[in-house]
Amino acid sequence: MASELDVRARLQRAGQEHLLRFCAELAPGPRAALLAQLEPLEPEALREHCRRAAAACARPPAPAPDLAARLRPLPPERVGSASGVAPQTRRLWEEEGFHQIALNKVAVLLLAGGQGTRLGVTYPKGMYQVGLPSQKTLYQLQAERIRRVEQLAGERYGTHCTVPWYIMTSEFTLGPTAKFFKEHDFFHLDPNNVVMFEQRMLPAVTFDGRAILEQKDKVAMAPDGNGGLYCALADHQVLEDMERRGVEFVHVYCVDNILVRLADPVFIGFCVLRGADCGAKVVEKASPEEPVGVVCQVDGVPQVVEYSEISPETARLRAPGGGLLYNAGNICNHFFTRDFLQMATREFEPLLKPHVAVKKVPYVDEQGNPVKPLEPNGIKMEKFVFDVLPFAKNFVAFQVLRGEEFSPLKNADSAERDNPSTARRALLAQHHRWALQAGAHFLDAHGARLPEQPSPPGSGEPPAICEISPLVSYSGEGLEVYLRGREFGSPLILDVDTARTLQA
């Protein structure tokens, strides 16, 4: 390890020597920990990081004055739809997706490095329970969807197939996530097929360009955003691991979407048959004001434009059919070829421009007293996974129904939307719809049949509580054999054991 003298000299070159201002009063253990944290920070990179953070924050966010003239929706030939397509075309996509899964050419990659501060928890979001009858966590739901899609592909092609699960964590989430998976026996997945790796961390920076000391012996660090994926893939030789396994197509998604379909055969098949190197699932924006990025074209190049960059007038523009002109809401759900990810790590990543996130960052004052700020005081610089879209040679978008595939868990229940209650209701309403479509009937407490009209997405608790294990059905398929013509009280938990009993 480098000496204090060496580290101090490096910090002087970066203009950040204040990070050692309490070093002399630290005990040997904390002093060594601080030096170990500071040693990997390259002086020139640290100086540039702090300079860019302060400069970027000084520029107020506003729509680019000429953006409206450069903006266009994606051309129709680059957009597919899960629902607005002929059944035979959808079956063709699904069959291709299952075929690639059966050939062991598909992997899923989870972005799980965030801290979940808006949710109000101190542990990784994937460990969160939203209050389902089964008490399953997000990690368990996702693991079981992987097992089910492997089973479905294997049954179709008479093979034993594997969908490797790559999980990008951070300094904050790696330890708890690894422990959680071990405690739950990897949810009956082969541990050799669950690969965890860590993204880089970057110092939080004050508005005047000084790295923040969180404690006397610790710099305030934050994950480098989900766009840190590309450096992390290179740092941990993840793409080399994929190549050894024969993986050619990667489904990348964010941890907090309770409805996410991992290795979705329809999406995979659509992208493969279109020859895409890069794809994105989108949902129709709920309103012009909805704070989601828009997948569109700028100067003829595909990209995600953040909602804060689009003027209200542009956001309200309507297409000839009456819907929003810019309606393709980004949901952090992507398809990549392994070859494209290889190029992203080698060529595109240095060209990505960081985004500014202004946060409340705990720090120590000049006397060494800990301070928890009441107002934002620091800058965290992030890159986004979608920043590589403009480099795609053949980008496609795939529109899916929000009620079937998108309900993110971002906020505590005190927030109006995207909270544990809305996520739980979205999943239960989906499963209630699936059960009705399969011919089930639900009874109230007095034995009378409940209305059999499915609840519209976002309308609150469904008339009956029904939770269907992903191990029984991935996307509503195959439920008729268990449910058609039968009557059930509420709640109905259709797990593997219940399914066996109903089938007997």
Side-chain angles (χ1 to χ4, degrees):
M1 180 171 47
S3 68
E4 179 183 338
L5 198 62
D6 291 336
V7 172
R8 190 176 295 277
R10 290 157 65 87
L11 290 177
Q12 283 177 334
R13 281 158 50 201
Q16 304 293 324
E17 191 181 359
H18 66 282
L19 296 174
L20 287 176
R21 66 184 185 272
F22 299 109
C23 191
E25 62 188 76
L26 295 175
R31 183 186 299 126
L34 177 62
L35 294 176
Q37 186 186 25
L38 292 170
E39 182 182 4
L41 300 177
E42 292 292 336
E44 290 74 18
L46 177 59
R47 183 178 63 245
E48 182 64 10
H49 167 69
C50 294
R51 185 198 67 78
R52 290 177 69 177
C57 188
R59 295 191 296 270
D66 61 341
L67 180 62
R70 301 160 55 207
L71 206 61
R72 294 290 183 275
L74 290 173
E77 63 271 16
R78 292 202 172 272
V79 183
S81 172
S83 56
V85 68
Q88 61 269 28
T89 301
R90 181 186 169 94
R91 284 194 296 270
L92 186 68
W93 294 339
E94 183 179 60
E95 196 60 42
E96 179 65 22
F98 275 127
H99 185 221
Q100 297 299 335
I101 293 168
L103 293 172
N104 296 311
K105 291 185 176 182
V106 177
V108 292
L109 195 156
L110 166 59
L111 304 171
Q115 295 172 260
T117 50
R118 285 163 58 187
L119 185 57
V121 297
T122 58
Y123 51 84
K125 274 189 191 179
M127 295 163 54
Y128 195 88
Q129 297 182 20
V130 301
L132 295 172
S134 67
Q135 296 299 300
K136 289 178 181 178
T137 61
L138 296 180
Y139 280 148
Q140 183 171 354
L141 292 170
Q142 292 169 23
E144 292 181 351
R145 287 175 189 147
I146 291 175
R147 290 172 59 192
R148 177 63 177 169
V149 82
E150 288 175 340
Q151 178 189 5
L152 290 171
E155 288 174 351
R156 286 188 182 221
Y157 287 93
T159 63
H160 176 77
C161 55
T162 298
V163 176
W165 194 6
Y166 296 89
I167 302 177
M168 186 178 79
T169 63
S170 68
E171 177 184 302
F172 302 117
T173 62
L174 177 58
T177 297
K179 181 182 177 185
F180 190 74
F181 271 71
K182 288 176 184 175
E183 289 173 347
H184 291 83
D185 194 27
F186 287 79
F187 306 103
H188 302 289
L189 292 166
D190 183 343
N192 293 320
N193 297 325
V194 180
V195 180
M196 298 183 193
F197 61 102
E198 199 172 342
Q199 68 185 110
R200 295 180 183 180
M201 305 286 284
L202 294 172
V205 181
T206 61
F207 299 142
D208 60 354
R210 287 161 59 89
I212 296 175
L213 202 59
E214 182 178 344
Q215 301 169 13
K216 290 182 179 181
D217 59 350
K218 188 175 188 293
V219 180
M221 304 287 282
D224 54 356
N226 57 36
L229 169 66
Y230 307 108
C231 283
L233 291 174
D235 290 345
H236 302 283
Q237 293 79 51
V238 175
L239 294 173
E240 289 80 354
D241 184 83
M242 291 181 181
E243 186 174 11
R244 283 193 296 272
R245 295 172 185 264
V247 169
E248 293 186 16
F249 310 112
V250 186
H251 178 208
V252 176
Y253 70 101
C254 198
V255 68
D256 59 14
N257 179 10
I258 197 170
L259 300 181
V260 64
R261 296 183 181 179
L262 288 82
D264 176 14
V266 180
F267 181 42
I268 298 292
F270 167 76
C271 292
V272 171
L273 290 175
R274 289 289 185 94
D277 54 358
C278 176
K281 277 192 179 183
V282 298
V283 297
E284 186 175 355
K285 284 188 66 175
S287 69
E289 298 78 25
E290 185 180 12
V292 296
V294 173
V295 182
C296 56
Q297 288 188 335
V298 179
D299 299 328
V301 176
Q303 68 181 68
V304 175
V305 178
E306 287 296 280
Y307 62 92
S308 58
E309 298 176 306
I310 299 178
S311 70
E313 295 77 18
T314 302
R316 289 194 291 265
L317 291 174
R318 297 282 170 175
L324 292 175
L325 184 63
Y326 298 104
N327 73 340
N330 177 51
I331 61 173
C332 193
N333 194 314
H334 296 284
F335 166 93
F336 298 111
T337 64
R338 180 174 51 80
D339 287 344
F340 180 80
L341 288 175
Q342 193 80 60
M343 292 179 66
T345 61
R346 291 176 178 171
E347 301 177 29
F348 309 149
E349 198 285 331
L351 306 176
L352 306 183
K353 295 181 180 179
H355 305 261
V356 173
V358 180
K359 304 282 188 178
K360 291 183 279 191
V361 182
Y363 65 98
V364 290
D365 63 20
E366 292 303 318
Q367 288 72 45
N369 302 310
V371 179
K372 285 193 173 181
L374 300 177
E375 299 293 334
N377 66 309
I379 307 159
K380 295 182 180 180
M381 297 292 280
E382 304 172 324
K383 292 180 179 179
F384 297 150
V385 69
F386 57 70
D387 289 336
V388 298
L389 267 59
F391 300 100
K393 292 182 178 177
N394 188 8
F395 171 79
V396 294
F398 192 66
Q399 190 166 65
V400 297
L401 296 175
R402 183 185 296 254
E404 289 296 326
E405 298 203 36
F406 184 57
S407 183
L409 176 63
K410 296 187 178 298
N411 307 309
D413 260 327
S414 55
E416 183 178 341
R417 58 197 296 272
D418 299 342
N419 59 46
S421 293
T422 58
R424 180 184 65 255
R425 289 196 296 263
L427 185 73
L428 294 177
Q430 179 190 62
H431 291 188
H432 179 249
R433 291 194 299 273
W434 288 357
L436 292 182
Q437 290 163 6
H441 307 285
F442 289 94
L443 308 177
D444 64 18
H446 306 288
R449 282 194 179 183
L450 289 166
E452 298 188 357
Q453 185 68 29
S455 302
S459 61
E461 298 284 354
I465 301 300
C466 172
E467 183 184 352
I468 300 169
S469 168
L471 298 173
V472 175
S473 184
Y474 175 84
S475 59
E477 79 289 336
L479 294 174
E480 292 82 2
V481 67
Y482 313 116
L483 304 181
R484 183 172 298 283
R486 296 178 185 263
E487 295 181 331
F488 300 95
S490 176
L492 167 64
I493 303 179
L494 184 59
D495 55 21
V496 172
D497 291 337
T498 305
R500 286 197 189 107
T501 300
L502 292 171
Q503 197 175 15

